[in-house]
Amino acid sequence: MGEKKYDNRELSWLKFNERVLEESEDERSPLCERLSFVSIFQTNLDEFFMVRVGSLHDEMLLDDEKDNKTNMKASEQLEAIREKVKELYSRKDVSYQNLMNKLQEHDVHLIDFAKLDQKEGNYLQQYFEREILPLLSPITVSKKQPFPFIKNNEICAVAVLETKANKQRLGIVPCNNGMFKRLIPIPGNKGYYMLAEELILHFLPSVFQGYSITSKSLIRVTRNADIDADKVFDEELSYRDHMAEVIKMRKKLTPVRMEYTRDLDKKVLSKMKKFLNIDKDMIFKLHSPLDLSFVFEIQDFLRHKPELFFDKRVPQKSPSLDETKALLPQVLEKDKMLHYPYESIRPFLNLLHEAANDPEVVSIKMTLYRLAKHSKVVEYLVEAAENGKQVDVLVELKARFDEENNIEWSRQLEQAGCHVIYGLDGLKVHSKLCLITKKTKEGIKYITQIGTGNYNEKTARLYTDISIMTGNQLIGKEADTIFKKLSLGEVMEETEALMVAPKCLQDKIIDRISREIDIAKNGGQAYLGIKINSLTDKKIIDKLIEASKAGVKIDMVIRGINCLRSQIPGVTDNIRVISIVGRFLEHSRIYIFGQGEREEMFISSADFMTRNTLRRVEVAMPVFDKDIKGRIREIFNTLLSDNVKARVQKEDGSYVYIAHENPLIDAQDKLYDLAYEAVGSEV
């Protein structure tokens, strides 16, 4: 079988984004929601080029390193990516156009000048000259004027200019400087709009007066954003100031992709390739706008039509907590679980607020990775510090694309008197861990919260995550040790209850898989149930293959990257992999080892990726409470039963919708129904 049992990481990610694109094509979903998915597809692809393609580009230039699973060189991966991306672009263009055509039935039209009458054209010309032209910064490229720096993912109008002496120059105009509206309404025609970049492109003769324009297009350049912050660390700066410098560096890195929308002369494309120092195979022509973020503004125009959106769903109260009473005693008495977005994050926020004001609470310790813009978490940590509590916060400044946000939060926390730690050398702290310490008459008591997702009120309404709050003192003591280690720049060397990466997670997972293998070989019923976002860790993959060969039944719910091919006869035919891409982003991580009396269950912040298992601080928490175990098992089984939004992986690595059976089950809808039923609310 050789390499056929593995999938390449990057190509597997593109398969995931293809599933996102499929959601834009799914006629069972409301129109405006499908429009969201086509925009999400594009945003995902932008980040993929900035991070993964950027990294492969660097590897190719250095030593053309091979992938450790498929043995593909970096150059071969880039070629395969190019071919797949071309295919996906064509499909995205078709999906986008179909959706925009359907929008016309709801009186929303995105138009060009060919469809305007003279009166409308005159209005737009006056609008352009009054509102846009004074704010533009056009440049002509010549021997005296070098090619300008084009910002990452900035839309620019490009024109081939011809002088009266028949000499050619290149004209460039940045189109999205944030100083004018992008979606421009056409007066007298309610629901008719034009994009600002299209307006600028049309009126380029007014911008470059004295020139003839022989061809023109819109372009967008994507730059490599993959910087190893630790490798470029400047010891002259504080770590926070250093990360601010890293953000500036990222904006200036090498271009890895160019997109354009109109035909451009081959000579011009060749010049652009030379100016940008970009591979010709990474230049793509599109037949849809270069940035689809404007679709969310269009959605706002249609909010009065609820049939164009998913049915409204509101996070429910947790039936296990009485929010009219003090929460800390309830958690000390019995473990509590919250399941987002089906249940509200509010009880955890209230718990934090209560701790900030409880006279017995002496300290709050917390890891922060991504936060909401208006964060109640930070507000309550600040309140706790102002009330004299010891507040220790590890703020991960290397949370990709959230660095600026986290830098600002770290400043606010420090100013309030919190002790702020900035992570470890070479390791991101990705764990979701909060420890509240009470000093009571009976002695020290710990309340620990461990989750699968960030302390972010916004994403708690969009991502599926599990949060468990416990008064288990063993877990509390280990959490306290984790924080002590982090404050000293160290990691956990051994643990009893928790799994803690980088040294005490991968090996514990391998050991538990080995246990199931032994049980299967001795004729027992062996089982593994795994829900994660991504699977790339080769050591774990190979152990799962070994388990499958031994007869261990394995169910896996993997939303994104999956480098293991299931259903290969005699190799991985005991492994079933499904991916659910739907209304909510599947983000929770669940590990189940064994069944019945032997069952061990964990929730975790860690995917089965080498970066998580060996290069990050991650925490997996055992689930001891029988009621919570039952709930998580119900969640996992509900996901496995999905036959609406789930795709199953085939032997060749492709994903197909599960054949429709009756009754149809959309797992996310069903889990919301269960949340409503649990508190006696009407759906």
Side-chain angles (χ1 to χ4, degrees), residues 327-594:
L327 298 172
L328 292 170
Q330 295 181 59
V331 174
L332 283 168
E333 181 183 343
K334 180 176 166 46
D335 293 356
K336 307 296 181 183
M337 172 185 146
L338 299 174
H339 188 203
Y340 312 142
Y342 313 103
E343 293 176 331
S344 172
I345 193 176
R346 188 179 63 241
F348 170 70
L349 297 175
N350 290 345
L351 184 86
L352 204 58
H353 189 215
E354 186 179 308
N357 292 279
D358 187 322
E360 290 188 336
V361 169
V362 293
S363 70
I364 302 174
K365 300 177 182 181
M366 203 165 182
T367 60
L368 301 180
Y369 195 76
R370 299 189 196 277
L371 292 164
K373 285 190 176 179
H374 305 287
S375 174
K376 286 287 183 185
V377 171
V378 172
E379 181 183 327
Y380 296 150
L381 290 174
V382 166
E383 184 177 9
E386 290 174 345
N387 287 341
K389 317 292 184 191
Q390 173 67 35
V391 180
D392 295 347
V393 187
L394 191 145
V395 181
E396 182 49 78
L397 297 185
K398 291 176 287 187
R400 198 187 302 275
F401 305 123
D402 260 3
E403 297 97 339
E404 288 181 274
N405 199 26
N406 287 1
I407 286 170
E408 182 54 37
W409 285 129
S410 71
R411 288 196 180 103
Q412 288 191 31
L413 289 163
E414 276 190 348
Q415 287 168 4
C418 301
H419 176 219
V420 179
I421 312 166
Y422 295 116
L424 309 179
D425 289 344
L427 295 172
K428 281 187 181 180
V429 179
H430 188 251
S431 55
K432 323 303 179 189
L433 183 62
C434 176
L435 178 67
I436 297 166
T437 304
K438 286 172 69 87
K439 188 176 180 181
T440 70
K441 292 177 182 177
E442 295 80 28
I444 296 296
K445 290 186 179 180
Y446 295 113
I447 296 96
T448 312
Q449 181 276 338
I450 297 177
T452 67
N454 298 301
Y455 299 110
N456 186 318
E457 299 97 295
K458 181 179 179 182
T459 57
R461 299 175 71 92
L462 303 171
Y463 294 6
T464 72
D465 274 306
I466 293 170
S467 169
I468 294 179
M469 296 164 282
T470 180
N472 182 291
Q473 296 305 291
L474 173 58
I475 288 176
K477 286 176 183 176
E478 287 200 343
D480 186 53
T481 304
I482 291 171
F483 280 109
K484 285 184 169 69
K485 291 281 188 181
L486 289 174
S487 67
L488 296 172
E490 300 173 0
V491 297
M492 295 287 281
E493 298 287 342
E494 58 182 50
T495 59
E496 183 179 345
L498 301 173
M499 299 184 191
V500 184
K503 295 191 175 182
C504 310
L505 189 138
Q506 187 197 61
D507 57 342
K508 290 179 180 289
I509 290 167
I510 295 290
D511 289 346
R512 283 166 172 79
I513 298 173
S514 295
R515 183 190 67 190
E516 295 306 305
I517 291 171
D518 291 341
I519 288 167
K521 285 181 176 178
N522 290 317
Q525 294 291 314
Y527 179 76
L528 297 169
I530 307 294
K531 180 182 185 293
I532 48 180
N533 295 308
S534 299
L535 172 62
T536 68
D537 186 316
K538 189 171 185 295
K539 190 172 180 180
I540 293 178
I541 289 172
D542 287 342
K543 202 68 183 176
L544 290 169
I545 293 170
E546 183 186 341
S548 175
K549 288 179 178 179
V552 180
K553 183 186 177 185
I554 305 171
D555 288 321
M556 303 186 78
V557 182
I558 306 174
R559 173 175 55 88
I561 302 166
N562 172 26
C563 294
L564 166 66
R565 291 192 180 184
S566 58
Q567 301 300 302
I568 300 173
V571 182
T572 57
D573 46 350
N574 282 310
I575 302 176
R576 180 175 184 255
V577 176
I578 68 166
S579 171
I580 295 175
V581 178
R583 175 175 183 174
F584 305 111
L585 186 142
E586 287 294 337
H587 193 254
S588 54
R589 289 90 164 184
I590 301 167
Y591 315 153
I592 302 171
F593 306 98

Side-chain angles (χ1 to χ4, degrees), residues 24-42:
S24 76
E25 301 165 334
D26 189 346
E27 294 187 358
R28 297 171 297 178
S29 296
L31 178 59
C32 282
E33 306 296 351
R34 293 170 61 191
L35 207 56
S36 292
F37 279 109
V38 77
S39 180
I40 292 166
F41 164 85
Q42 179 228 10

Side-chain angles (χ1 to χ4, degrees), residues 74-98:
S75 55
E76 293 170 331
Q77 294 177 65
L78 287 169
E79 173 60 25
I81 287 168
R82 183 183 73 88
E83 290 302 317
K84 185 63 179 177
V85 167
K86 279 179 65 178
E87 173 195 323
L88 292 176
Y89 270 140
S90 297
R91 193 166 158 188
K92 185 262 290 185
D93 286 341
V94 171
S95 179
Y96 167 81
Q97 196 53 60
N98 287 340

Side-chain angles (χ1 to χ4, degrees), residues 96-245:
Y96 167 81
Q97 196 53 60
N98 287 340
L99 293 171
M100 295 309 291
N101 289 342
K102 290 180 183 295
L103 276 181
Q104 293 180 20
E105 300 170 15
H106 299 277
D107 300 320
V108 173
H109 306 259
L110 200 62
I111 60 172
D112 56 36
F113 260 83
K115 297 179 181 177
L116 296 177
D117 60 30
Q118 187 174 353
K119 182 180 178 182
E120 291 164 341
N122 289 340
Y123 167 81
L124 282 176
Q125 182 172 359
Q126 292 171 12
Y127 181 92
F128 172 77
E129 291 173 352
R130 183 181 69 251
E131 302 290 339
I132 297 178
L133 183 58
L135 302 174
L136 297 180
S137 301
I139 295 169
T140 57
V141 180
S142 64
K143 290 180 180 179
K144 291 183 179 180
Q145 178 62 51
F147 192 83
F149 177 81
I150 296 177
K151 295 177 184 177
N152 184 39
N153 288 333
E154 178 179 46
I155 298 173
C156 292
V158 175
V160 180
L161 309 175
E162 198 168 277
T163 68
K164 292 178 181 178
N166 295 324
K167 291 184 178 180
Q168 281 195 346
R169 290 182 180 174
L170 198 62
I172 299 176
V173 185
C175 293
N176 50 343
N177 58 19
M179 291 187 282
F180 45 79
K181 290 192 297 185
R182 185 165 177 225
L183 204 57
I184 301 168
I186 311 297
N189 271 324
K190 188 178 179 181
Y192 283 72
Y193 303 91
M194 179 174 284
L195 292 173
E197 63 262 30
E198 293 290 342
L199 193 61
I200 293 168
L201 191 69
H202 181 80
F203 285 115
L204 280 183
S206 299
V207 179
F208 296 108
Q209 295 182 13
Y211 294 96
S212 298
I213 295 177
T214 58
S215 69
K216 59 185 179 180
S217 180
L218 296 169
I219 68 164
R220 193 170 73 127
V221 173
T222 302
R223 295 180 176 274
N224 184 354
D226 191 43
I227 299 178
D228 187 329
D230 292 311
K231 283 184 179 179
V232 297
F233 182 49
D234 184 347
E235 294 186 0
E236 296 292 319
L237 299 173
S238 70
Y239 195 69
R240 187 168 61 201
D241 290 340
H242 160 69
M243 286 307 301
E245 290 300 312

Side-chain angles (χ1 to χ4, degrees), residues 32 45 115 244 283 474 617 637 644:
C32 282
L45 199 59
K115 297 179 181 177
I283 298 177
L474 173 58
V617 176
N637 289 337
V644 176

